[in-house]
Amino acid sequence: AQKVTQAQTEISVVEKEDVTLDCVYETRDTTYYLFWYKQPPSGELVFLIRRNSFDEQNEISGRYSWNFQKSTSSFNFTITASQVVDSAVYFCALSGGETSGSRLTFGEGTQLTVNP
Amino acid sequence: EPEVTQTPSHQVTQMGQEVILRCVPISNHLYFYWYRQILGQKVEFLVSFYNNEISEKSEIFDDQFSVERPDGSNFTLKIRSTKLEDSAMYFCASSEGGTGESGELFFGEGSRLTVL
């Protein structure tokens, strides 16, 4: 069975601080995919990134960066110079491979609050 | 930009009533999904649908639930006899391929179901 753990339930920072959201996953599949989604207060789910298990290269997109470490089964997400608009719930998710098909398994989510 | 649309945005129903939630996936997408999110909790997979049949379903998706693609554009989720615990946000999603192929699931804005 697949499992995603986001140990940080809530994080509160002040604008312009850097913040890292942790994600640890469990899977028996050798091929799998990792995702991050943002859920702002309006409720929709916004896709941020997808990585496959063979690509451990870290990725940067503007103020966002992701650190995939297969050795520790982690896929952490860092926001640099946070802004109030970054306030949202962030979900890490896992899918793919031999045992789970196309379903996404989500973590519990981390509520990020960025204060002015 | 193409998007997944869902109706209604909010439905209130009495316990035991049938509910149909509707979704219009992105037109060239082939894979369709329903997820649900009980208030304050994580997003949970319900069912995936491909080639006019269910490709995968979770343990949540029991006999009370059914999905249909009645006319080639809509994708519906029916709950036959609603229970209080069915109160949740229901998200429809679509993707061009399975998560292992095209990668990105596009989510609708959700339909909030309240069962009284």
Side-chain angles (χ1 to χ4, degrees), chain A residues 33 35 37 39 42-45 47 50 91 95-96 99-109, chain B residues 33 35 37 41-43 45 48 56-59 91 98-105 107-109:
Chain A
Y33 303 86
F35 301 76
Y37 282 85
Q39 187 174 44
S42 47
E44 72 270 26
L45 289 165
F47 170 84
R50 164 188 179 260
F91 290 97
S95 86
T99 63
S100 68
S102 59
R103 70 164 70 183
L104 282 178
T105 299
F106 283 82
E108 301 282 345
Chain B
Y33 311 84
Y35 286 79
Q37 184 181 30
Q41 297 185 23
K42 67 178 176 182
V43 181
F45 170 80
S48 59
E56 195 177 355
K57 60 183 180 180
S58 73
E59 53 281 355
F91 290 102
T99 53
E101 298 165 32
S102 74
E104 181 179 347
L105 261 65
F107 282 87
E109 295 195 346

Side-chain angles (χ1 to χ4, degrees), chain A residues 18-77:
Chain A
D18 297 347
V19 58
T20 295
L21 310 181
D22 297 334
C23 173
V24 174
Y25 62 91
E26 294 174 32
T27 180
R28 287 178 292 189
D29 296 325
T30 52
T31 301
Y32 51 89
Y33 303 86
L34 294 160
F35 301 76
W36 276 94
Y37 282 85
K38 174 182 180 179
Q39 187 174 44
S42 47
E44 72 270 26
L45 289 165
V46 178
F47 170 84
L48 295 178
I49 191 172
R50 164 188 179 260
R51 301 309 298 274
N52 73 52
S53 52
F54 297 110
D55 183 2
E56 284 193 72
Q57 215 169 15
N58 291 332
E59 183 155 338
I60 298 174
S61 175
R63 295 184 297 107
Y64 295 170
S65 62
W66 290 269
N67 184 349
F68 177 27
Q69 300 235 348
K70 212 166 174 179
S71 59
T72 57
S73 298
S74 65
F75 186 44
N76 296 338
F77 172 31

Side-chain angles (χ1 to χ4, degrees), chain B residues 8-9 13 19-20 28 32 36-37 41 46 48-49 53 58 73 78 80 89 92 98-99 102-105 109 112-113:
Chain B
S9 56
T13 190
V19 159
I20 296 176
N28 64 331
F32 315 111
R36 79 168 186 193
Q37 184 181 30
Q41 297 185 23
L46 290 177
S48 59
F49 192 85
E53 61 182 24
S58 73
S73 62
K78 183 194 288 187
R80 282 190 237 302
M89 181 75 91
C92 175
T99 53
S102 74
E104 181 179 347
L105 261 65
E109 295 195 346
R112 179 163 297 286
L113 176 65

